[in-house]
Amino acid sequence: LSLDELAGACGLETQWIITLVEADILPMTAEDPSAWRFQSTHLSRARRAFRLQRDFDASLTAITVMLDLLEEIAKLRQINAQHARQSFIDLSAD
């Protein structure tokens, strides 16, 4: 997605997306914002960042920490679910 496409998909101003890039919340893929390209995961990250700022009046630093923690929790839950499935398979084989 381009900068304008990401902003439009999020329902946000392009300046908010630029702010997220400047705060290292979203990656910068080029020096010129018109050349920036974003992935679908960046769409959900930008939306979540906006909600955190809106709902908690969080600073950009706090948003960065919260997003990192939320993503780490999601990874740990996925690992836990994989282990639980493997344990169930192992028990079923016995």
Side-chain angles (χ1 to χ4, degrees), residues 6 10 39-49 51 67:
L6 180 64
C10 291
Q39 299 174 1
S40 60
T41 56
H42 302 137
L43 173 63
S44 60
R45 189 168 172 89
R47 286 178 176 165
R48 185 173 271 174
R51 286 192 307 269
L67 288 172

Side-chain angles (χ1 to χ4, degrees), residues 17 20-22 24-30 36-39 41-42 45:
I17 304 299
L20 295 178
V21 170
E22 290 171 347
D24 291 327
I25 294 171
L26 294 176
M28 178 174 46
T29 56
W36 289 351
R37 295 295 174 258
F38 300 95
Q39 299 174 1
T41 56
H42 302 137
R45 189 168 172 89

Side-chain angles (χ1 to χ4, degrees), residues 8-81:
C10 291
L12 303 170
E13 298 291 327
T14 56
Q15 186 55 49
W16 175 250
I17 304 299
I18 292 169
T19 300
L20 295 178
V21 170
E22 290 171 347
D24 291 327
I25 294 171
L26 294 176
M28 178 174 46
T29 56
E31 288 295 320
D32 181 14
S34 66
W36 289 351
R37 295 295 174 258
F38 300 95
Q39 299 174 1
S40 60
T41 56
H42 302 137
L43 173 63
S44 60
R45 189 168 172 89
R47 286 178 176 165
R48 185 173 271 174
F50 176 76
R51 286 192 307 269
L52 290 169
Q53 196 281 325
R54 180 196 63 203
D55 295 348
F56 300 108
D57 195 27
S59 69
L60 292 173
T61 303
I63 290 170
T64 301
V65 171
M66 288 187 273
L67 288 172
D68 290 346
L69 289 172
L70 289 168
E71 289 169 1
E72 186 65 25
I73 290 168
K75 287 178 191 175
L76 291 171
R77 286 182 176 159
Q78 183 179 11
I79 290 168
N80 188 41

